[in-house]
Structures are given as C-alpha cells and as structure tokens.
Amino acid sequence: MSRRLVITADDLGREPGTTEVIVALLAEGHISATTLICVSPEAERAAAQVRRTGVVPRLHVTLTSEGGLPRWRPLTPGATLTDPDGMLTDDPFVLGARGQAADVIAEADAQLRWMRAHDLAPEAADSHAGTLYGLHGRSWLAETLGWCARHGLAFRLPRDPEPYFGGPLPPPLAAAHERAVAHADALGVPIPRTIATNRRTARDLGGYERLRDDYLRRLAALPEGTSELFLHPSREDAVTGPDGVVRTWETRLLRDPVWHKALDGEDIEVVAGWWH
C-alpha cells in the first residue's frame, strides 16, 4: 500500500482575491483539488475560471457567512438557516443552535443543483467552516451522509480523526465519529484515511517557517492510504485581519521548493481525490 495525498485549496469563490490565487495554483500544478462556495456573489465568475483549468471543484456546502465580508444569502429560504434579514449568520454556533436538518439538506441540494447548472459535476462534498459535523452544536452528519449516498458523492470525513484534532477525541465525540464512519461505510460513501490542515493563528505560529515546519511534520506522519491536506491560500489584502497573514503563508508554502522537495522525498503520490 502507498501513501497518497489530495492537496486541496478551500474557498474558491469566497471573493476575487482568493479565486485568483486558487486558479493560479491549479494552473501551476501546486494543488490537486479545490472546493467552491456557491452562495458568494463571486461564485459565477469563479466557476467560469475554474472550468478553464479542467479541474472540477468539490461542493463546499456553505451554511454560514464569513466575517469581514458582506453576508451571503442562501439559495433556499430555509428559515432556520438565516437571520431575520434572510442572510446567513457568520457565527457557526448560532447556526448550530437553530438549524434544522430539513433546511440543511434542502440548501445542500440547491447548491449541488447550482454547480450542475454551471457545467460542474462534483464527485465529492465537504463542509465550509465544519458546520455539518456538530462541532458548533447540532450535527447533521447522518443526514449529510445519506444525502451524499443518494447523489453518489464522496465526503470529507476522516477515518482517523487524530491528525486533524491533534490527539484522541473526547469519548462522546469519539463515539459519534465512530458511528459516522460506520454509517458512511454502510452507505458506500467514500471517505479519506485522514485529513490535516493548519488550525493555528499567525500569533500562535509566529512566522512562515513555523507554519512550513508544521506542514512538513504532517506530511511525514501521513499514514498509508489516501489522505487529504486542505489549505486556505489567498492574498493578504483579500482577507481581513490575521487570517489573511496565514492564508498568504499557505500560498507561499504551496510554491515553496522545500515543500515540493519534501513531497518527493516522502514518496507521496499527489492525487485528485480519495474516491478513485
């Protein structure tokens, strides 16, 4: 068995700066996948640009807005997803307290239809801001996996969650995760061996080299099978606050010769998806 890795840039369509960086990274061959936010005003332009690269993005099921941007409107009128003005909250905990499964799945359906209507046929889905997983309140994993099975989609749910969380899960969360993995297997929904990303702030990291060292450590620790590394590359001027600094560092990492040398040295095959 070999080690394979999907290198994903999340948040295509978030705003023009992020779209520009991700499309460039795809064209340069520095990433093997991306995920599309369909509810953003930038989504249509992003879809047109990514089609020219020949890469079909995954559906980044989006149920919350982003801080620092004008809030987004969902594609369906699901009352439990929106604030009184009809826009998506930018607080995932607010969504986790009020969202109902029927509204969540209806919105996921609408976003999938939007992609297909724009000549993009995704093979997998995942969750923007992790809202589907129950990390901010209610979990819609069971309903989401059923929805994926109905549409023939793979889903970003790690078979081994420890590399993402940095250690063993608390017992209640571990039990819920075990049930979700068993449910995915029973439904035939492909899931990755594990997933990894940066979860630390610019202040925590202190500098680019610390971020790079952390990703190199994650690379060396990848298990056998197909895993996913997902990043959020962008331009610093496209994302407000310290998050923009980290996103700029991730853009730099993906072009860094040290990173590419490590990929070669670890004998890791970069692939487009864990479901192939």
Side-chain angles (χ1 to χ4, degrees), residues 62-110:
T62 302
L63 304 174
T64 54
S65 296
E66 286 270 275
L69 291 175
R71 287 183 303 144
W72 297 325
R73 185 179 298 278
L75 303 184
T76 57
T80 66
L81 303 183
T82 58
D83 290 336
D85 61 1
M87 310 303 280
L88 295 171
T89 178
D90 58 9
D91 186 343
F93 287 98
V94 170
L95 174 70
R98 73 185 180 197
Q100 296 293 327
D103 289 340
V104 168
I105 297 304
E107 180 63 23
D109 262 333

Side-chain angles (χ1 to χ4, degrees), residues 155-168:
F155 188 67
R156 180 194 281 166
L157 172 70
R159 193 170 295 280
D160 174 6
E162 289 196 17
Y164 176 75
F165 283 96

Side-chain angles (χ1 to χ4, degrees), residues 13 21 61 87 97 124 129 134 137 161 175 177 192 248 255:
V21 167
V61 178
M87 310 303 280
H177 174 265
T248 301
R255 292 176 168 138

Side-chain angles (χ1 to χ4, degrees), residues 69-201:
L69 291 175
R71 287 183 303 144
W72 297 325
R73 185 179 298 278
L75 303 184
T76 57
T80 66
L81 303 183
T82 58
D83 290 336
D85 61 1
M87 310 303 280
L88 295 171
T89 178
D90 58 9
D91 186 343
F93 287 98
V94 170
L95 174 70
R98 73 185 180 197
Q100 296 293 327
D103 289 340
V104 168
I105 297 304
E107 180 63 23
D109 262 333
Q111 293 181 20
L112 180 59
R113 286 195 301 271
W114 189 97
M115 287 194 70
R116 289 172 172 170
H118 287 78
D119 297 324
L120 298 170
E123 295 183 89
D126 46 62
S127 176
H128 179 62
T131 52
L132 295 173
Y133 298 99
L135 303 176
H136 310 97
R138 295 174 187 169
S139 169
W140 300 291
L141 264 181
E143 294 86 354
T144 300
L145 289 168
W147 172 78
C148 286
R150 289 193 297 276
H151 291 287
L153 300 172
F155 188 67
R156 180 194 281 166
L157 172 70
R159 193 170 295 280
D160 174 6
E162 289 196 17
Y164 176 75
F165 283 96
L169 299 180
L173 193 56
H177 174 265
E178 188 175 340
R179 289 193 299 270
V181 169
H183 192 43
D185 288 343
L187 292 171
V189 175
I191 60 177
R193 179 71 181 82
T194 192
I195 62 175
T197 193
N198 172 66
R199 302 175 68 199
R200 292 193 287 174
T201 66

